[in-house]
Amino acid sequence: MTAPHVPQIRLYQQWLAEHRGLRFDDYGALWRWSITDLDGFWQSIWDYFELQSPTPHTAVLAKNVMPGAPWFPGARMNYAQQVFRHVRPAHEAGFAAVVSRNEKGRHVELSWPELRRQVASLAQHLQAQGVQPGDRVAAYLPNIPEAMVAFLATVSIGGVWSICAPDMGTNAVLDRFRQIEPVVLIACDGVSYAGRDHDRLAVVAELRAALPTVRHVVLHTNLAEGEAAQAEALQAASPCASFAAATARDDAATAAFEPLWLPFDHPLWIVYSSGTTGLPKPIVHGHGGTVIVGMALKILHNDVGCSYHPNSWGERFHWYSSTGWVMWNAQTSGLLNGTTCVIYDGNPGGSKDKPDWTTLWRFAAELGVTFFGAGAAFFANCIKAGVDLAACGDLSAVRALGTTGSPLSEDAQRWGTEQFRRIAKSGAQQDIWWCNISGGTDFAGAFIGGNRELPQTPGRMQCRLLGCAVEAWNEQGQPVIDEVGELVCAQPIPSMPLYFVGDVDHQRLIGSYFDTYPPGQGRKPGGVTSAPRPARSGGTATGCASARTAPA
């Protein structure tokens, strides 16, 4: 079966015309509506994606202020609940939830029912350890299915998730986890990277000793192979619970498990700024805002469809990331829409002794990836290494490429486009679509990104995203074009940070994003009730300070 792949944003516009009577001459008009009629736009996203709540919301945006905009008051939501909606239909259609491979060739496919069962089992294990809504759970895990399971288990019971990658040093991890005072640590015994095994049991012991609030440790034996080696690793980390045992429960209680319905703005996860100017900022996002913005970004702009929907049948979404980058969160969000997530744990460039920048391409070919994303530096390295996609296997399923992390050069985009033109087996590959996005950790989303309906210009991003009132401002707070400026969002969006952990009176939050320009600066008329403060990007929207990268 070949999916037609009608652009998701076109389907949304057709829905707007049919259900709202709204028609727009071009994308610019649609975007302007989305940032002036905030209530109308975000309600349309809620309705279009059929988001659910056991209680109705009393408003969309109760008060237009930044920071602290109250979205969908009265609504209740749970990230895991949205994921679980897809278990039955996706499984009946024959699609996996997660497909994973690591450097050693270890291949894991997690079915949707098995994902749900493991999540329920671990959630009940955490509840048995006394984890309550609002408690923080810290994870020290690589990009493997177990990390997704642990995340969903934590948030399903109202715990607040935070993860660091095992390639980070002890001090870097403690700079983050000490600030959030976790009650549970979910860790691994080690990782394989660049052709070498890296034992992390000593680091786990250091983390435990330096985090006095941790009262329970769960260890995943990621490195140890065989019962004897796994038992030895668990003994070395004792006292701890086995991740395998904690996710093994399969009984009436796990079958009946349901995620808790939580307030729309209940904390979901804590992510961190880079820490280049002091301690990393522990940024808290909420369930509802993350879900609704994630759906709009992933589906409408990134054009990642539901794997069991006829229009995007067989979709397999891959965006290479470590767990220390917010793109891990973005990769995981594919589950919100019933999309098969295809993940790779390891070095995309092979080992030091045997560098190989075809690694990810061959992985994508073998696993039938349809959307292939990576950092812009990955594509630059492919050029330097002389990668020839014709020698990387059958990449005929790939229909879109994604980049972020730094500006994608014009040369890199032209290289990838030409590579796919040479191996093209579909119309989509004759002129491969690049979804170049820029956003950040700060708001768990993107401000500037892709639109499959718009023309492509190598080296540029296509558009400002729906709902994001983005401009570049000079020092006087005036919008500028073709000049370097400060990237700002002049209207609130639902995924803006709730707060920073430990930030008394929100002074650090305000200082990070809102104190450069006075409240009300840059205000746009329509659909608002009071003057908001504009939000600065916080420095994570890499390469987007110039408005020339973001034509309306």
Side-chain angles (χ1 to χ4, degrees):
M1 177 177 180
T2 302
H5 283 295
V6 176
Q8 299 290 335
I9 199 164
R10 185 191 305 173
L11 297 177
Y12 167 66
Q13 289 182 260
Q14 291 171 353
W15 182 91
L16 283 176
E18 180 179 351
H19 295 272
R20 296 290 194 269
L22 294 171
R23 294 173 176 80
F24 302 94
D25 292 337
D26 54 27
Y27 178 75
L30 174 63
W31 176 77
R32 284 187 289 275
W33 166 73
S34 77
I35 64 162
T36 51
D37 185 1
L38 297 181
D39 284 10
F41 171 69
W42 289 109
Q43 183 65 54
S44 78
I45 296 297
W46 180 288
D47 295 340
Y48 181 68
F49 292 116
E50 299 179 344
L51 298 182
Q52 297 176 347
S53 169
T55 55
H57 49 272
T58 57
V60 175
L61 178 58
K63 186 178 182 182
N64 189 312
V65 294
M66 288 195 286
W71 290 95
F72 295 94
R76 301 182 75 81
M77 193 173 281
N78 191 300
Y79 189 111
Q81 188 73 253
Q82 174 65 27
V83 171
F84 283 3
R85 290 175 62 178
H86 302 288
V87 170
R88 183 189 57 78
H91 184 62
E92 288 180 352
F95 297 115
V98 184
V99 180
S100 169
R101 189 170 293 176
N102 70 4
E103 281 191 355
K104 295 182 176 181
R106 183 187 302 159
H107 184 86
V108 176
E109 294 203 15
L110 204 58
S111 72
W112 283 90
E114 179 63 7
L115 173 68
R116 187 196 181 284
R117 186 201 63 74
Q118 289 191 23
V119 168
S121 177
L122 183 56
Q124 290 172 325
H125 173 86
L126 294 174
Q127 286 179 318
Q129 303 304 316
V131 176
Q132 299 291 319
D135 284 347
R136 287 109 185 215
V137 173
Y140 185 63
L141 296 168
N143 185 26
I144 53 178
E146 288 81 1
M148 291 183 169
V149 169
F151 160 61
L152 292 172
T154 296
V155 305
S156 70
I157 59 173
V160 186
W161 171 260
S162 192
I163 190 168
C164 284
D167 59 356
M168 297 172 66
T170 308
N171 291 337
V173 176
L174 288 175
D175 281 348
R176 290 156 174 79
F177 286 169
R178 273 199 183 110
Q179 296 186 72
I180 70 170
E181 301 181 322
V183 300
V184 172
L185 174 65
I186 304 177
C188 65
D189 61 339
V191 292
S192 298
Y193 191 84
R196 295 177 55 197
D197 289 345
H198 303 269
D199 188 287
R200 289 293 183 258
L201 286 171
V203 177
V204 174
E206 290 181 68
L207 296 179
R208 166 183 255 151
L211 297 170
T213 55
V214 170
R215 58 177 186 256
H216 183 63
V217 174
V218 181
L219 187 77
H220 169 55
T221 51
N222 184 60
L223 202 56
E225 296 183 5
E227 290 185 12
Q230 291 169 351
E232 184 178 343
L234 289 166
Q235 181 60 39
S238 182
C240 68
S242 159
F243 188 94
T247 56
R249 185 172 177 177
D250 188 8
D251 55 16
T254 55
F257 175 80
E258 289 292 336
L260 300 177
W261 288 107
L262 303 164
F264 187 86
D265 60 354
H266 185 87
L268 171 70
W269 60 41
I270 301 167
V271 290
Y272 303 91
S273 65
S274 62
T276 53
T277 56
L279 282 177
K281 300 187 292 284
I283 304 167
V284 183
H285 298 126
H287 276 254
T290 302
V291 168
I292 196 168
V293 170
M295 299 284 279
L297 166 63
K298 187 73 63 209
I299 302 166
L300 302 185
H301 284 284
N302 292 7
D303 200 52
V304 176
C306 171
S307 295
Y308 60 87
H309 191 283
N311 182 63
S312 44
W313 188 265
E315 188 87 284
R316 286 195 159 198
F317 171 53
H318 166 75
W319 200 302
Y320 176 78
S321 178
S322 81
T323 51
W325 189 24
V326 75
M327 292 312 297
W328 178 84
N329 306 68
Q331 168 80 81
T332 302
S333 71
L335 298 172
L336 291 170
N337 192 40
T339 307
T340 299
C341 294
V342 181
I343 61 178
Y344 182 80
D345 175 33
N347 188 344
S351 67
K352 185 177 181 179
D353 297 334
K354 295 181 179 179
D356 181 6
W357 287 97
T358 70
T359 299
L360 278 188
W361 295 111
R362 290 184 288 103
F363 159 81
E366 291 167 19
L367 299 186
V369 166
T370 57
F371 186 107
F372 180 97
F378 168 80
F379 295 98
N381 279 312
C382 288
I383 297 176
K384 292 177 184 177
V387 169
D388 179 7
L389 296 191
C392 294
D394 183 4
L395 288 163
S396 60
V398 177
R399 61 176 188 84
L401 302 173
T403 67
T404 191
S406 59
L408 180 72
S409 71
E410 182 176 340
D411 287 345
Q413 186 162 340
R414 291 190 187 281
W415 171 85
T417 299
E418 180 58 28
Q419 286 281 322
F420 271 93
R421 183 176 291 119
R422 290 176 183 172
I423 63 171
K425 293 185 179 179
S426 66
Q429 293 186 331
Q430 290 288 345
D431 185 22
I432 195 81
W433 177 60
W434 288 83
C435 181
N436 304 329
I437 67 172
S438 180
T441 304
D442 305 73
F443 54 98
F447 279 156
I448 303 170
N451 181 334
R452 252 187 74 204
E453 297 277 73
L454 295 180
Q456 300 188 86
T457 301
R460 294 195 180 192
M461 283 164 272
Q462 290 178 293
C463 64
R464 291 175 277 195
L465 268 54
L466 295 175
C468 299
V470 176
E471 293 179 326
W473 287 4
N474 62 20
E475 292 182 358
Q476 291 72 44
Q478 300 168 333
V480 293
I481 302 292
D482 286 331
E483 295 179 28
V484 173
E486 187 79 38
L487 185 70
V488 301
C489 189
Q491 298 284 14
I493 58 174
S495 66
M496 284 181 171
L498 300 177
Y499 53 88
F500 294 168
V501 176
D503 184 18
V504 179
D505 297 328
H506 299 301
Q507 289 307 302
R508 197 177 180 197
L509 177 74
I510 292 170
S512 296
Y513 305 122
F514 299 101
D515 64 353
T516 298
Y517 305 104
Q521 179 74 31
R523 173 177 162 78
K524 299 292 190 299
V528 294
T529 56
S530 61
R533 289 172 175 263
R536 294 187 296 119
S537 73
T540 58
T542 311
C544 288
S546 169
R548 67 177 297 172
T549 62

